[in-house]
Amino acid sequence: MKGILAILMAGIMIAAMIAPAMSEDASTSVSVGNDAPDVVITSIAPDPADPGDTVTVNGTLSDPNGIGDVNELTYDVKYPNGTTCESGSILSIVSPWSLNFDLPAGVSAPSGTWNVSVTATDMGSATDTDASTFEVSTVIAITVGDMSYGSVNAGSNGNPGSHNVENTGTVAIVFGESSTTGYDNDADDGISWADMTFGTNTIADSHIITNWVVSTQIVAGASADVNFELDVPAGTLSGTYAGTTTFTPTVV
């Protein structure tokens, strides 16, 4: 009887030892920090650019927290004097990214060194900015209006006329002259003129003068009247005489 009891108790103990153990869950946590994005301008073209050109800026973008963490990509284009020409957002936040903008035309795009900056901002308000420069070329350009002395008589002197000259370039200009006494109609002058002719008849260029002052500047976007006087020699055959005036600007 004692042997049977011992075996029975042993069986109970074994059953207790192989019963499933109790389990319990414990929570874990980690705090992932926010790191700033990294934006890089890799190229700007064309460089140099001309007024009115479309400029393309290319670059790359990354973020330690994933590029999806970047929620804003903005740009700023500055004139050579540091004031803003254009600013806005790059709508496609990808890497690589690309930005196109149009330079103003004519005198509104001054020559010199322009600046482009691009800023990336992430959801944690961390930012990164990269900047680069490009050149806008100097443009020397003018438009000249036609001149008429009107109807004059043979033998009359000092008949007035004028050309209106507009500086459509990006820098101030002058019309050079090597002579200290004024324009003498040499081939290398900033202002020169030809004989006026009607068929085989001629009013020689020596009968034309200008009182334009050599040192006078015309700034970009401005215009001025360049005045002339015509002497018509006595005995000149009646008719409509035509000639040309050539303006060759130089940068101040």
Side-chain angles (χ1 to χ4, degrees), residues 152-233:
V152 300
N153 296 321
S156 63
N157 297 324
N159 300 288
S162 65
H163 287 286
N164 182 264
V165 180
E166 181 181 3
N167 181 355
T168 56
T170 59
V171 290
I173 57 171
V174 295
F175 299 108
E177 166 58 65
S178 57
S179 172
T180 58
T181 59
Y183 294 92
D184 52 11
N185 204 26
D186 289 339
D188 60 350
D189 289 353
I191 303 174
S192 60
W193 51 92
D195 295 340
M196 301 188 72
T197 60
F198 168 61
T200 59
N201 303 285
T202 300
I203 300 175
D205 60 25
S206 58
H207 293 286
I208 302 170
I209 61 170
T210 179
N211 60 5
W212 182 258
V213 178
V214 174
S215 61
T216 303
Q217 298 182 17
I218 305 178
V219 299
S223 62
D225 289 329
V226 180
N227 297 317
F228 289 80
E229 291 183 1
L230 170 67
D231 295 339
V232 180

Side-chain angles (χ1 to χ4, degrees), residues 8-252:
L8 181 59
M9 291 178 65
I12 293 172
M13 291 176 65
I14 292 171
M17 291 176 63
I18 63 174
M22 297 295 292
S23 63
E24 183 176 352
D25 293 332
S27 64
T28 61
S29 66
V30 63
S31 178
V32 178
N34 181 58
D35 292 315
D38 182 34
V39 62
V40 177
I41 295 174
T42 57
S43 67
I44 301 178
D47 184 13
D50 292 327
D53 278 353
T54 297
V55 177
T56 299
V57 184
N58 293 312
T60 59
L61 176 67
S62 62
D63 190 303
N65 303 102
I67 200 169
D69 187 45
V70 180
N71 61 353
E72 190 174 39
L73 199 57
T74 58
Y75 70 92
D76 188 67
V77 181
K78 284 185 166 56
Y79 292 108
N81 66 4
T83 60
T84 295
C85 171
E86 179 179 333
S87 61
S89 296
I90 302 173
L91 299 180
S92 183
I93 303 177
V94 295
S95 185
W97 52 264
S98 184
L99 159 69
N100 294 318
F101 61 89
D102 294 328
L103 288 175
V107 298
S108 297
S111 58
T113 302
W114 290 53
N115 180 279
V116 179
S117 62
V118 177
T119 299
T121 305
D122 69 14
M123 294 181 183
S125 298
T127 65
D128 182 53
T129 299
D130 193 23
S132 188
T133 61
F134 68 98
E135 299 296 318
V136 172
S137 302
T138 296
V139 177
I140 304 173
I142 58 173
T143 58
V144 181
D146 292 336
M147 174 176 65
S148 174
Y149 293 102
S151 180
V152 300
N153 296 321
S156 63
N157 297 324
N159 300 288
S162 65
H163 287 286
N164 182 264
V165 180
E166 181 181 3
N167 181 355
T168 56
T170 59
V171 290
I173 57 171
V174 295
F175 299 108
E177 166 58 65
S178 57
S179 172
T180 58
T181 59
Y183 294 92
D184 52 11
N185 204 26
D186 289 339
D188 60 350
D189 289 353
I191 303 174
S192 60
W193 51 92
D195 295 340
M196 301 188 72
T197 60
F198 168 61
T200 59
N201 303 285
T202 300
I203 300 175
D205 60 25
S206 58
H207 293 286
I208 302 170
I209 61 170
T210 179
N211 60 5
W212 182 258
V213 178
V214 174
S215 61
T216 303
Q217 298 182 17
I218 305 178
V219 299
S223 62
D225 289 329
V226 180
N227 297 317
F228 289 80
E229 291 183 1
L230 170 67
D231 295 339
V232 180
T236 300
L237 186 70
S238 63
T240 301
Y241 290 72
T244 57
T245 309
T246 301
F247 292 85
T248 306
T250 54
V251 176
V252 174

